[in-house]
């Protein structure tokens, strides 16, 4: 069992940066691929970024490529999402997820409760 708790969301102006964190419980964190998804109000949850268990490969949605960076620290059981050059369209609840395979689909076993990111214009 893995429990995930996101933090770091908030209200920022367009062009600003935020770093989200997702702290995981459980000793098997390092064996899981980790991902970030987001869900804007009234829309479906969509893929943002994913990272393999050892950080060797990372994949991003086209909408965030070049602006967001996913990373992980297995010693701290934490995955991060560095978000730069934020845009109003990045406004959403951001969720982290854990699963056996780094995939852009929703096929992850564990999900956090989400953290709100709001970007004002």
């Amino acid at each position: 069992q893995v429990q995930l708790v996101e933090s770091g969301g908030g209200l920022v102006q367009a062009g600003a940066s935020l770093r989200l964190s997702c702290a995981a419980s459980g000793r098997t964190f390092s064996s899981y691929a980790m991902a970030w998804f987001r869900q804007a109000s009234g829309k479906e949850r969509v893929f943002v970024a994913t990272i393999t268990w050892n950080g060797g490969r990372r994949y991003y949605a086209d909408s965030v490529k070049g602006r967001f960076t996913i990373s992980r620290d297995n010693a701290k059981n934490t995955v991060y999402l560095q978000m730069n050059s934020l845009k109003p369209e990045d406004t959403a609840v951001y969720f982290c997820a854990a699963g056996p395979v780094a995939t852009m689909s929703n096929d992850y076993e564990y999900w956090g409760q989400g953290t709100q990111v709001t970007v004002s214009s």
Side-chain angles (χ1 to χ4, degrees):
Q1 188 79 7
V2 176
Q3 292 186 329
L4 305 173
V5 179
E6 302 95 335
S7 62
L11 170 63
V12 297
Q13 290 189 332
S17 297
L18 275 177
R19 188 177 80 157
L20 304 183
S21 299
C22 174
S25 65
R27 294 178 293 176
T28 58
F29 172 79
S30 61
S31 67
Y32 285 97
M34 299 296 297
W36 288 95
F37 287 75
R38 67 185 181 187
Q39 185 170 18
S41 180
K43 297 187 177 181
E44 292 188 351
R45 188 163 55 189
V46 298
F47 168 78
V48 175
T50 188
I51 187 167
T52 53
W53 68 275
N54 63 352
R57 285 177 290 173
R58 312 173 195 201
Y59 304 98
Y60 298 93
D62 288 343
S63 59
V64 306
K65 205 171 291 183
R67 299 188 298 123
F68 290 12
T69 302
I70 188 170
S71 62
R72 66 189 298 160
D73 186 338
N74 286 344
K76 296 182 178 180
N77 280 12
T78 301
V79 63
Y80 304 98
L81 186 67
Q82 178 67 44
M83 305 185 296
N84 299 329
S85 303
L86 282 162
K87 305 175 181 180
E89 50 264 43
D90 294 319
T91 295
V93 178
Y94 284 72
F95 299 89
C96 72
V101 178
T103 173
M104 296 183 183
S105 73
N106 287 325
D107 194 17
Y108 286 85
E109 292 183 29
Y110 303 104
W111 293 84
Q113 294 299 305
T115 185
Q116 176 71 46
V117 172
T118 303
V119 184
S120 64
S121 57

